[in-house]
Amino acid sequence: MTDASNYSLLLDEIAAELDIPPSKYAQAVQRYTSVGEWLCGDDNSDCMDDPDVYPQGSFRLGTIVRPLKDGKESDYDIDLVFEIKKEKYATTSKEIKERVGTRLNNHGTYRRLLKPEGRRCWTLEYSETDDVGFHLDILPAIPKTPRTGAIHITHRSGNGTYEWSTSNPKGYAQWFEAKNITAFITLEKTQKNMLFESNRELFSSVDDVPNQLIKTPLQRTIQILKRHRDQRFANHPSHSSKPISMIITTLAAQLYSNETTTFEALKNIVFKLDAHANLQQHDFILEKSLADQKLILRTPDDKWIIPNPVAPEENFADRWHENNHERAKMFFQWVKWVREDLVDILAKRSVAQLTESIEPFFGERAVKMASSRLPFLTAPGIITLIPTNTPHIEITNPPKPWSK
Amino acid sequence: MKEIVERHFQELVSEFKYLSLVHEEPEIFSIQGNIEFTSSYSEEIIHDSYNITIFIPSDYPNSPPCAQETGGRIHPSFHTHNEGTLCLASNIETVRIFDENRTLMHFVKALLIPYLHQHSYYEKYGKMPFGELSHGAKGIVEYYGEYFNTSNPIITLLLLKIIAEDNYRGHSICPCGSGKKIRICHGEKLLALKKLKPNSFFVYEYAECVFDGLESDSIPTELKSNYIYKKISNKNVWQHRSTTHSPTK
């Protein structure tokens, strides 16, 4: 096997280590189903007619990674939309938000788990017996355009007033699934069999394995990218300007061209992102095939646009120009880091050696666990670690390279 | 051949530990893996490693191997052939150096690592410490110029013409202008060159240099050669050239 395919296996194992494990996934589903049932079961309220509860964000997309807090791995963040079927004219932002808060407070356990009110959501903090807990973010919402999945969400400002803003997590998830579907179909059967074999206590049959546990090279790459970002910016002065997950996920999905291994996908995505770096210079014109994809745009008034693919009027990069383009600079700096830390490194180190050198970018635990599952990478006799006597060549009268 | 390759590989892997011998078909071998080295050239020390595949030719060790970088680090515009292998040196120089000691170890140390050293240096400083040859025939003329230690391309080609025409006469006067007999002038260099490749190689090498390697469009009379023209005129490849360049009368 080549170094590239071994390295790709290692990246897959690292991503799996950052991911939510199947048992934890089952627990999360159970938690949010119970919350959903409690919220929907509010018989006394006229506004709770046939509400809709569904996960959104990285948990739904299958790109979740364990977050880092103060450099340590902490609880998983799971986002849930609670969509109440009420027209916008018939209610207010404040009413919707408070209705959900009150309902949660009426439940003995949830009152105990409930955190102080957030800007857009209510958070339940579960600490689990295995020390790996969840933060369940519940986002109260009402429908905006049911056909597209667009919703109105509540927004509480610093001064305590409530407004509406819009979002479309369902539409975005469908868009992402479409980018992912080809690879998903190819991998579904093998991965489900493997997951069933290794988690027999969780699933009664292969068909019982949920689709969300299948991971394509695109999803693995996004997980790798997100954790690399978290580690790289952990103690960085521009920590607050690090690239947001929505931008990483959107651009990666647009650039993914159904590569069959995680390393190939990562390499392709990072190279193409890096090709955009020159947009920081004013008169730079992007190569046509990339420009046509309209991933990252510059406006004549010196702003940046990364459109939300399902709501082009929404700009993920609306703050990139602020503070002398700090967010843009940090984004392209990070892309360079990914390239150096995770892609170019393969040419400089054997897989056995690079296991150690990539530890800082994913965390010691994840890399150790991942490489322990691939014993052949470091098995003695096949590859020995760092040679004590690297051959030394004294160059005299070297030939000059020539080509046709 | 299998035995020779295996023996040479064992020698190579004793120093370059991350290589493995891949035996694809009875007579097709390649060596794959990572080459880690330190190398020094005029004060500069490089410590680096590359992922490399070395292809063993079917007539090994008569012909030298060729090598390809597989880690995606060496850009195709940096002295690589169209098929992706590395241009370690001009063709004849590769043969000449390999001929000093026809082993894989010598190939790696005398040809491959100097090339990789130069690439690492270039990545670091944007310069080529050993210099490089021009592309195509012009670079071949430059190479022979350095080999014969002549700065005039006409003289370089007159010397090469002796081998291409298979017309070495030790007592003739050397075309370099020294006034000495060839035997005591450029003779040694010419004979060393001559034994590296069959005459046909030099016929084409010479023709290419004369047609494409000179700055001017017209070919100086002294470089024209009926012998060369006859040898190549029945080859389609060269026919179109004879109409545009008319090398001989």
Side-chain angles (χ1 to χ4, degrees):
Chain A
M1 240 197 252
T2 66
D3 262 7
S5 51
N6 278 335
Y7 182 42
S8 206
L9 289 179
L10 180 64
L11 290 177
D12 280 336
E13 289 297 338
I14 291 171
E17 207 49 56
L18 308 173
D19 204 336
I20 187 165
S23 58
K24 227 46 204 169
Y25 177 86
Q27 198 180 29
V29 172
Q30 195 195 330
R31 296 277 180 260
Y32 83 66
T33 311
S34 307
V35 175
E37 275 165 12
W38 172 251
L39 289 172
C40 296
D42 187 358
D43 302 330
N44 305 325
S45 166
D46 61 334
C47 72
M48 298 286 187
D49 283 344
D50 198 18
D52 206 356
V53 187
Y54 50 89
Q56 64 141 334
S58 62
F59 184 75
R60 165 118 180 212
L61 304 178
T63 57
I64 196 166
V65 292
R66 256 189 99 173
L68 289 181
K69 294 215 172 91
D70 305 322
K72 289 203 188 79
E73 293 189 312
S74 72
D75 297 343
Y76 290 102
D77 289 321
I78 292 169
D79 298 320
L80 209 58
V81 178
F82 183 59
E83 188 179 333
I84 298 164
K85 296 292 189 268
K86 196 141 175 115
E87 295 289 343
K88 193 178 169 192
Y89 65 82
T91 185
T92 65
S93 177
K94 187 169 194 274
E95 185 194 350
I96 293 292
K97 182 78 174 289
E98 284 180 349
R99 188 73 67 147
V100 176
T102 308
R103 179 68 182 161
L104 289 169
N105 259 314
N106 285 343
H107 187 288
T109 311
Y110 297 149
R111 182 168 57 238
R112 204 163 38 77
L113 302 179
L114 193 62
K115 307 292 288 175
E117 184 178 351
R119 237 166 6 119
R120 305 188 324 172
C121 51
W122 293 101
T123 302
L124 296 175
E125 191 177 294
Y126 292 82
S127 47
E128 303 289 348
T129 48
D130 59 1
D131 275 352
V132 185
F134 303 106
H135 286 188
L136 195 63
D137 286 345
I138 301 159
L139 187 75
I142 58 167
K144 178 173 182 260
T145 320
R147 183 179 48 81
T148 63
I151 52 175
H152 294 288
I153 58 174
T154 68
H155 190 285
R156 192 176 75 130
S157 314
N159 59 14
T161 58
Y162 288 81
E163 282 157 34
W164 292 109
S165 62
T166 57
S167 182
N168 190 350
K170 244 186 204 170
Y172 187 87
Q174 283 163 2
W175 172 84
F176 184 85
E177 279 153 22
K179 297 281 174 194
N180 204 36
I181 188 78
T182 311
F184 174 86
I185 291 169
T186 323
L187 296 165
E188 181 182 6
K189 218 171 161 223
T190 358
Q191 286 197 17
K192 280 196 176 172
N193 279 326
M194 279 169 58
L195 285 161
F196 173 64
E197 289 303 329
S198 49
N199 296 282
R200 276 178 176 269
E201 71 287 358
L202 288 177
F203 310 118
S204 52
S205 73
V206 174
D207 297 332
D208 211 24
V209 178
N211 289 346
Q212 278 79 3
L213 294 182
I214 310 302
K215 293 299 153 82
T216 66
L218 170 62
Q219 288 162 308
R220 288 299 189 216
T221 298
I222 292 170
Q223 291 175 311
I224 291 283
L225 290 172
K226 282 163 66 175
R227 174 52 76 85
H228 176 272
R229 170 208 54 191
D230 293 342
Q231 293 274 144
R232 266 294 198 167
F233 282 94
N235 294 308
H236 196 278
S238 298
H239 175 83
S240 57
S241 300
K242 68 181 183 181
I244 58 171
S245 296
M246 269 313 264
I247 287 182
I248 295 176
T249 307
T250 304
L251 296 177
Q254 279 167 319
L255 289 169
Y256 179 56
S257 39
N258 293 316
E259 287 86 3
T260 51
T261 71
T262 301
F263 178 61
E264 286 300 320
L266 176 71
K267 195 163 108 178
N268 163 46
I269 289 167
V270 168
F271 279 18
K272 287 186 184 154
L273 288 177
D274 200 21
H276 286 78
N278 285 328
L279 285 173
Q280 293 173 97
Q281 289 147 25
H282 268 287
D283 42 3
F284 178 74
I285 297 177
L286 200 59
E287 183 221 331
K288 190 171 183 306
S289 63
L290 280 177
D292 285 348
Q293 290 194 59
K294 296 195 167 66
L295 304 169
I296 304 174
L297 308 166
R298 273 208 94 163
T299 63
D301 62 344
D302 217 20
K303 289 183 178 163
W304 298 81
I305 301 178
I306 298 175
N308 179 342
V310 292
E313 70 283 1
E314 187 185 344
N315 177 12
F316 293 141
D318 57 348
R319 299 186 63 193
W320 272 30
H321 62 283
E322 290 174 11
N323 198 3
N324 192 21
H325 302 275
E326 190 178 15
R327 282 182 175 76
K329 283 179 193 161
M330 284 304 125
F331 178 80
F332 290 113
Q333 172 63 67
W334 169 72
V335 170
K336 289 247 181 312
W337 281 337
V338 179
R339 201 176 154 157
E340 284 164 17
D341 298 345
L342 305 181
V343 180
D344 295 348
I345 192 170
L346 182 60
K348 301 191 177 170
R349 296 265 168 266
S350 71
V351 177
Q353 294 167 310
L354 61 76
T355 310
E356 211 166 317
S357 52
I358 59 177
E359 247 179 46
F361 314 126
F362 300 114
E364 193 185 332
R365 186 196 64 84
V367 176
K368 287 253 153 67
M369 289 299 287
S371 55
S372 74
R373 285 202 296 272
L374 300 168
F376 58 90
L377 289 185
T378 47
I382 298 176
I383 300 164
T384 36
L385 279 171
I386 305 168
T388 45
N389 45 354
T390 305
H392 178 80
I393 289 90
E394 202 83 47
I395 300 177
T396 47
N397 292 326
K400 293 181 178 176
W402 165 84
S403 46
K404 282 208 170 130
Chain B
M1 177 203 169
K2 184 163 182 272
E3 257 170 52
I4 296 171
V5 173
E6 277 170 359
R7 188 154 39 84
H8 288 181
F9 173 73
Q10 284 312 322
E11 186 199 15
L12 183 66
V13 84
S14 70
E15 284 196 39
F16 298 92
K17 300 190 190 309
Y18 306 116
L19 294 173
S20 49
L21 181 64
V22 181
H23 190 174
E24 277 156 14
E25 279 165 50
E27 294 291 284
I28 298 181
F29 296 92
S30 64
I31 290 161
Q32 301 178 2
N34 186 273
I35 288 188
E36 182 174 11
F37 62 92
T38 63
S39 55
S40 51
Y41 180 75
S42 64
E43 309 287 297
E44 178 71 20
I45 296 176
I46 297 279
H47 175 201
D48 212 335
S49 73
Y50 287 83
N51 288 328
I52 295 287
T53 297
I54 298 170
F55 301 98
I56 312 289
S58 54
D59 60 347
Y60 183 87
N62 289 330
S63 301
C66 56
Q68 190 167 8
E69 192 262 343
T70 52
R73 191 165 149 205
I74 298 181
H75 193 268
S77 64
F78 185 91
H79 295 287
T80 58
H81 294 293
N82 287 339
E83 73 276 14
T85 54
L86 309 173
C87 300
L88 304 171
S90 71
N91 286 337
I92 192 71
E93 177 73 350
T94 311
V95 174
R96 193 187 69 77
I97 291 178
F98 184 62
D99 192 59
E100 295 166 351
N101 178 4
R102 300 184 180 197
T103 62
L104 286 167
M105 185 71 100
H106 185 64
F107 172 78
V108 167
K109 287 188 172 178
L111 282 158
L112 184 57
I113 287 179
Y115 177 96
L116 298 175
H117 175 102
Q118 177 131 291
H119 181 265
S120 300
Y121 188 95
Y122 183 75
E123 275 187 341
K124 232 164 141 182
Y125 305 108
K127 281 189 288 203
M128 306 281 274
F130 326 147
E132 56 194 318
L133 298 171
S134 301
H135 287 258
K138 189 156 173 269
I140 302 179
V141 178
E142 287 166 14
Y143 166 72
Y144 284 111
E146 282 175 28
Y147 179 77
F148 293 127
N149 198 14
T150 57
S151 53
N152 181 341
I154 306 286
I155 289 175
T156 303
L157 290 173
L158 282 173
L159 285 162
L160 185 62
K161 190 179 170 203
I162 295 172
I163 305 173
E165 287 187 331
D166 201 10
N167 188 27
Y168 179 81
R169 303 278 181 273
H171 55 266
S172 309
I173 298 298
C174 191
C176 73
S178 65
K180 295 180 198 162
K181 287 182 179 171
I182 293 189
R183 194 186 294 125
I184 54 165
C185 192
H186 278 90
E188 204 182 315
K189 292 225 152 189
L190 286 168
L191 291 173
L193 208 55
K194 191 169 145 64
K195 74 175 175 60
L196 293 175
K197 280 276 190 182
N199 175 252
S200 59
F201 173 85
F202 294 104
V203 169
Y204 287 104
E205 188 104 315
Y206 179 78
E208 202 177 340
C209 288
V210 170
F211 295 151
D212 296 332
L214 291 172
E215 302 276 281
S216 65
D217 270 352
S218 64
I219 291 162
T221 324
E222 63 266 40
L223 294 182
K224 291 177 181 174
S225 163
N226 279 321
Y227 175 89
I228 305 288
Y229 184 61
K230 269 183 202 149
K231 285 248 174 184
I232 63 175
S233 60
N234 53 354
K235 309 278 182 193
N236 293 334
V237 180
W238 294 100
Q239 259 166 9
H240 73 281
R241 294 175 183 275
S242 62
T243 56
T244 49
H245 291 276
S246 61
T248 52
K249 290 277 175 302

